[in-house]
Amino acid sequence: MIPLWKPSIGKEESDLIQSVLNLGYLGHGSYSDKFEVICSRILNINRENLLACSTGHAGLHLILNSLFSEESLIATPTFNNIADFQAILNNNCIPLLVDSSDSNSPYISPETLSECIKENKIDAFIALDYASNFCPLEEYYSICNKQGVKLIYDAAHSFGSINEKRLNFCDAAMFSFDPIKTFTCIDGGLIYFKDTNLVSKTKPKRFIGMQQNESKLKENKRTWDYDCSQEGWRYHLSNIHAAVGISQINRLEEIKNKRSIAMKYMRQLILDANLPLNFVKWDKDMIPFMNVALLNSGDKIELQKHLEKENIQSGTHWKPGHLFTKFKSYKYKSCKNAEDFYKKAISLPLFTDLEQKDIKKVYSVIKSFFHK
């Protein structure tokens, strides 16, 4: 089986996991602290602007909880992950699901965003990078900033590819380190706040509201005399997950090179064969996460069945939010472009240790589908 995704876990990760097990302190501790430090270096920002947590979804939940009151109206692309929609609802806020700019793009156009803000008193807009491509964040931020609208940046796909220059164009951002991401913590998340006061405000929330002594946690210790004056969730990042993340980030250049070579090779094979597939643009400054193609002709479901028969996994990322029962009532106008994009988008295998022979097989099976 050639999987769609597969984490790259090697000796360094295994050794660090064993170190944490030997330490015997598996909760939020010294490795969790080191994870925040190493992430601040990669992003080239002050560590005081960052906060690690258990998942990317937890990060979004905490960002929205610290920035907005209940009933706040938060716009987001309908072509987005369910995590974003649920984070909005989990905070008793109201999502507004907006259409893509056209049937070949997952993104809201700046013009549509401006129109949406004028027609609705939205409090925030969630922008996201998709697959291996950067959204027009600077344009979004210019629009939001002029209208007094907060911009939340879902950078779940983008860790290792951006730094402080891009983070200047948002009020808060979330990074994901779940099992399928470019860099994994097994599961983990990272929050960026432009305002460091929001980091201080949010810290206790990841410890179910407990105002823990941070200096003790860094030493793998806890204090038992603490206050709790606010709501919170069990959203901390464990030592063992943080250790995996540190190992992955230490391999950044290796992971970047392997994924870039695999992405380039598969795309070149398919493009040279002149098959009826267009690829979603790959911004070369981004470490590729997903390899998404759009079918110009043929049935995507039939292609996926054809791949499956040959033991090759594929995926569809994502089903637009307004097509789910839970979120359909939050649609803003027509969302036909996002629906059309969804019907022809197919995610092909891409992971760090994808071998050339497997890429050739994926290409060969796709080619046979169109030439049968």
Side-chain angles (χ1 to χ4, degrees), residues 186-357:
I186 302 175
D187 229 336
L190 187 70
I191 297 168
Y192 162 81
F193 279 117
K194 183 175 287 185
D195 182 353
T196 56
N197 291 322
L198 287 167
V199 175
S200 300
K201 175 183 177 182
T202 307
K203 273 186 178 181
K205 294 179 182 180
R206 66 176 174 174
F207 297 130
I208 52 178
M210 297 185 298
Q211 292 157 326
Q212 281 283 346
N213 184 320
E214 293 281 325
S215 62
K216 291 291 185 183
L217 291 173
K218 293 175 186 178
E219 298 174 359
N220 300 310
K221 298 177 182 178
R222 288 183 62 180
T223 54
W224 300 103
D225 183 19
Y226 50 79
D227 194 12
C228 179
S229 60
Q230 61 191 110
E231 63 184 342
W233 299 267
R234 193 168 176 81
Y235 279 171
H236 64 267
L237 181 68
S238 74
N239 257 350
I240 202 159
H241 287 185
V244 174
I246 291 167
S247 302
Q248 293 269 292
I249 295 169
N250 285 339
R251 296 173 55 205
L252 191 149
E253 288 302 318
E254 174 205 346
I255 289 172
K256 175 182 178 180
N257 290 337
K258 284 184 173 180
R259 296 178 78 96
S260 297
I261 290 168
M263 178 92 136
K264 183 178 180 180
Y265 186 54
M266 183 180 293
R267 288 192 169 200
Q268 199 61 55
L269 285 174
I270 290 173
L271 290 172
D272 287 348
N274 199 30
L275 300 177
L277 287 174
N278 285 333
F279 286 98
V280 172
K281 181 186 174 184
W282 170 24
D283 287 322
K284 296 303 171 65
D285 289 333
M286 180 177 278
I287 302 170
F289 168 52
M290 290 192 299
N291 190 12
V292 180
L294 303 177
L295 268 74
N296 298 326
S297 65
D299 188 316
K300 182 184 77 173
I301 303 302
E302 290 303 313
L303 173 56
Q304 290 185 304
K305 289 178 179 178
H306 184 72
L307 287 165
E308 188 175 1
K309 284 180 183 177
E310 299 296 328
N311 289 317
I312 299 170
Q313 289 184 343
S314 64
T316 298
H317 299 89
W318 298 289
K319 184 176 180 177
H322 69 278
L323 297 180
F324 291 102
T325 301
K326 180 71 175 174
F327 314 114
K328 62 184 179 181
S329 63
Y330 301 109
K331 182 172 73 169
Y332 170 66
K333 295 186 174 180
S334 168
C335 287
K336 187 177 184 305
N337 288 335
E339 290 180 29
D340 290 343
F341 185 92
Y342 162 65
K343 289 174 184 175
K344 58 187 179 181
I346 179 171
S347 301
L348 300 175
L350 180 66
F351 48 90
T352 299
D353 298 319
L354 183 62
E355 296 183 17
Q356 192 173 93
K357 64 179 178 62

Side-chain angles (χ1 to χ4, degrees), residues 75-79 96-102 105-114 116 125-128 135-136 140 332:
T76 178
T78 189
F79 199 84
L96 189 66
L97 309 186
V98 187
D99 198 10
S100 305
S101 60
D102 58 65
S105 172
Y107 299 130
I108 296 173
S109 70
E111 294 75 20
T112 298
L113 176 59
S114 293
C116 179
F125 172 61
I126 297 178
L128 72 149
C135 71
Y140 290 157
Y332 170 66

